[in-house]
Amino acid sequence: MIQQKLDTLLASHTAPTLMGVKPANLVSLPRFETFEQMVQNYNAHLNQQDIYFHPVCQCNCKQLLLVYRKSELVKTLCEPQKRAFLLSYGYPVYHKNNVEPYFDEILTYLAQRVQSTKGFPHEIGIFLGYPLKDVKCFISYRGGGYRMCGEWKVYHDVVNAQRSFLCYKACREFCQTQLMLGKTFSSLVARTA
């Protein structure tokens, strides 16, 4: 029963990544003893499908988990403007077309930033697939002055953001329905090219 609740919670928060429309999602989970074992189990079953679980922060009452589709996150990190932006925050230097040798180091640095930054390191929006312009504006305007708020605060392309929000909602509804119909969590992972 606990596994079913965990699968439902994870599916709700990670559906866009599972379905291949977003590079990553961040999930906040209550703290529990078998967290590390849970991460290992999901990785053992899902890594071959390009889905990875990576803890980024653990405190007394909660744990933050980055769930990502590695191939999509690598593409995101290789985009020149996003790469330059992350480098300005001290992320490891990597070649524009070859992030693979530095990938673990980048995730480790992200986790360090989450744990040590007062507030929250807003560059995490790049990892989560938010538009770079919106991430930069969020930082510049300190979260104010946005045109729309949904999955993220939108400063520029409201129409495309609305489409993304609807797509993410449809992914969540699909995954939750599939779980209610008895499908397994790992069966929710969409095959992408």
Side-chain angles (χ1 to χ4, degrees):
M1 189 62 158
I2 292 173
Q3 186 65 48
Q4 185 179 13
K5 286 182 180 181
L6 186 58
D7 284 351
T8 301
L9 177 68
L10 287 168
S12 175
H13 291 285
T14 66
T17 299
L18 299 176
M19 300 302 298
V21 291
K22 200 168 183 257
N25 283 99
L26 193 61
V27 182
S28 177
L29 298 171
R31 191 151 177 87
F32 56 95
E33 284 184 29
T34 59
F35 178 73
E36 289 82 10
Q37 185 62 48
M38 180 271 304
V39 169
Q40 289 176 2
N41 289 342
Y42 278 105
N43 279 329
H45 289 96
L46 298 172
N47 286 178
Q48 62 201 15
Q49 294 175 274
D50 197 31
I51 299 293
Y52 292 78
F53 283 50
H54 184 83
V56 292
C57 186
Q58 296 183 43
C59 66
N60 292 334
C61 58
K62 68 178 180 177
Q63 301 166 119
L64 288 177
L65 184 65
L66 185 71
V67 177
Y68 62 93
R69 185 174 286 273
K70 188 172 184 180
S71 61
E72 292 304 312
L73 189 52
V74 165
K75 279 187 217 172
T76 296
L77 296 175
C78 286
E79 291 177 33
Q81 291 180 327
K82 291 178 181 176
R83 178 179 169 269
F85 178 74
L86 290 174
L87 291 175
S88 75
Y89 280 88
Y91 282 81
V93 176
Y94 55 93
H95 300 288
K96 61 183 174 182
N97 294 322
N98 191 10
V99 71
E100 285 286 339
Y102 306 94
F103 191 77
D104 290 339
E105 201 176 328
I106 291 166
L107 291 183
T108 298
Y109 188 74
L110 173 64
Q112 290 170 352
R113 294 270 303 150
V114 168
Q115 293 173 34
S116 66
T117 303
K118 188 176 182 176
F120 205 76
H122 299 297
E123 76 273 5
I124 200 170
I126 300 302
F127 293 81
L128 301 176
Y130 303 165
L132 177 59
K133 285 182 178 182
D134 288 341
V135 173
K136 285 181 173 181
C137 284
F138 181 87
I139 293 167
S140 295
Y141 299 133
R142 298 175 189 232
Y146 52 89
R147 295 173 59 196
M148 184 179 80
C149 186
E151 300 280 331
W152 68 87
K153 289 186 177 177
V154 180
Y155 293 85
H156 292 280
D157 193 345
V158 171
V159 173
N160 273 332
Q162 287 173 325
R163 286 184 189 131
S164 292
F165 298 166
L166 288 172
C167 181
Y168 299 164
K169 181 181 177 187
C171 289
R172 285 187 185 96
E173 289 172 355
F174 174 81
C175 286
Q176 289 171 339
T177 300
Q178 293 302 304
L179 286 176
M180 285 189 299
L181 293 172
K183 300 285 185 178
T184 64
F185 184 84
S186 62
S187 73
L188 301 176
V189 179
R191 307 281 190 253
T192 59

